[in-house]
Amino acid sequence: MALASRLLSRSTRQLCAGQVVLRPEHAVPVRSFAKEAAAPTALKGDQVLKEIFYEVKNKLETAIGVLRKEKITIDPEDPAAVSEYAKVMKSVRQKANLLSESQIIKFNIEVETHEIPDARTYLLKLKEMRVKRGLVDAQGIEDMQIAALDKVEKEIKKPLMRNDKKGIALLTAEFDKINQKLGIRKEDLPKYEEQLELKIAKAQLEELKKDALEAMETQKKREEFKDEEMPSVKSLDIRNFI
């Protein structure tokens, strides 16, 4: 059961529970304790929480339903296994109506930056978010963007504000030059998203492998299993633990 719990935690529970609360329609209103507040108004928050609970429950059941049918090979070093795992997780997201990783990133950016007035603070916030998520800026794009911002601000002789349409147009043109230099095209965005999903899939498989090995080591310490040989992690079938 320990292994089953860990595998489910990695493959479904975090996937589902972490996303429903992102949806703006589930913002729970603060209760009013004023004497004039009517009882139905005071209970509205409870109703919203109940709806969130049932939505998470339904999404979790849908995700588990997919995982009961799909074979997952816990082998992060095998590109085919990583690709297949990514496909399974994509199927889970589609059927359970969950956000993809890139969609979550986009949502978080919108939430955490919507009140930032200037372009420089905005770019620094994006860098902070990237670092927190463990994403690597291997091409040094952020430094190039800051250099582009420096150029634009020198030209307009003031800090660039996000509501400055003319200034933002100048910065966007500089960013387009950076993308062109790096060979990044808007039409290739689906390909970049797929590459991101594969990186995430590999990282998740590595976590699954780590948890499975830890669970088996714990099991092996028990008296009744000490003489048994532990199976290879990649031979495990998660469907047997659900």
Side-chain angles (χ1 to χ4, degrees):
M1 286 301 294
L3 178 57
S5 176
R6 291 186 182 191
L7 294 182
L8 279 174
S9 177
R10 293 292 180 190
S11 55
T12 59
R13 289 188 296 197
Q14 292 178 352
L15 184 65
C16 295
Q19 299 195 49
V20 177
V21 294
L22 293 177
R23 295 172 54 176
E25 65 265 30
H26 285 142
V28 181
V30 178
R31 293 195 194 186
S32 172
F33 290 96
K35 293 181 180 180
E36 298 81 11
T41 302
L43 294 175
K44 187 176 181 180
D46 294 333
Q47 181 61 34
V48 172
L49 290 174
K50 185 183 294 184
E51 290 176 1
I52 292 175
F53 170 79
Y54 281 116
E55 183 169 355
V56 172
K57 177 176 177 292
N58 291 335
K59 289 179 182 292
L60 180 59
E61 289 175 348
T62 300
I64 293 176
V66 174
L67 293 174
R68 283 198 178 106
K69 300 176 182 178
E70 301 287 350
K71 176 69 169 65
I72 291 175
T73 301
I74 308 176
D75 188 358
E77 303 308 317
D78 180 4
V82 173
S83 178
E84 185 60 31
Y85 177 78
K87 289 180 181 178
V88 172
M89 291 298 103
K90 183 176 181 179
S91 179
V92 168
R93 289 195 302 270
Q94 290 175 339
K95 294 184 179 180
N97 193 26
L98 300 171
L99 300 177
S100 68
E101 187 67 19
S102 58
Q103 288 171 328
I104 293 174
I105 291 173
K106 180 180 179 181
F107 180 91
N108 287 337
I109 288 174
E110 291 173 351
V111 169
E112 296 195 35
T113 64
H114 77 283
E115 293 185 349
I116 294 177
D118 64 289
R120 187 173 299 275
T121 304
Y122 176 84
L123 291 178
L124 292 176
K125 185 63 178 181
L126 293 185
K127 180 178 181 179
E128 177 187 320
M129 294 176 68
R130 174 187 62 76
V131 172
K132 285 183 178 180
R133 296 187 74 88
L135 300 175
V136 178
D137 179 20
Q139 295 178 299
I141 295 176
E142 289 169 345
D143 290 339
M144 288 186 275
Q145 289 178 332
I146 292 295
L149 176 61
D150 290 338
K151 178 181 178 181
V152 171
E153 290 188 336
K154 184 177 180 180
E155 182 176 341
I156 65 176
K157 297 181 175 59
K158 61 180 180 179
L160 177 59
M161 307 306 289
R162 293 175 68 192
N163 61 359
D164 180 351
K165 293 183 179 180
K166 185 177 179 180
I168 290 296
L170 292 174
L171 183 61
T172 301
E174 293 297 325
F175 283 1
D176 287 340
K177 293 178 185 178
I178 294 173
N179 290 336
Q180 186 176 8
K181 179 181 178 181
L182 297 174
I184 299 174
R185 305 184 305 169
K186 290 182 179 180
E187 53 266 37
D188 290 334
L189 289 179
K191 180 182 69 175
Y192 300 139
E193 182 174 356
E194 181 180 349
Q195 292 172 350
L196 174 62
E197 296 297 340
L198 286 174
K199 289 181 181 179
I200 293 168
K202 182 174 182 179
Q204 290 178 344
L205 279 182
E206 288 172 345
E207 289 294 330
L208 279 173
K209 181 178 180 179
K210 178 183 176 182
D211 283 350
L213 288 172
E214 289 178 355
M216 286 193 289
E217 285 298 319
T218 300
Q219 194 86 338
K220 193 174 181 180
K221 293 177 182 179
R222 296 174 59 179
E223 185 67 25
E224 62 267 37
F225 296 109
K226 69 176 184 178
D227 294 325
E228 290 192 19
E229 184 178 350
M230 292 292 105
S232 168
V233 174
K234 62 183 178 182
S235 71
L236 298 175
D237 191 335
I238 292 180
R239 294 172 295 184
N240 295 330
F241 299 95
I242 300 177

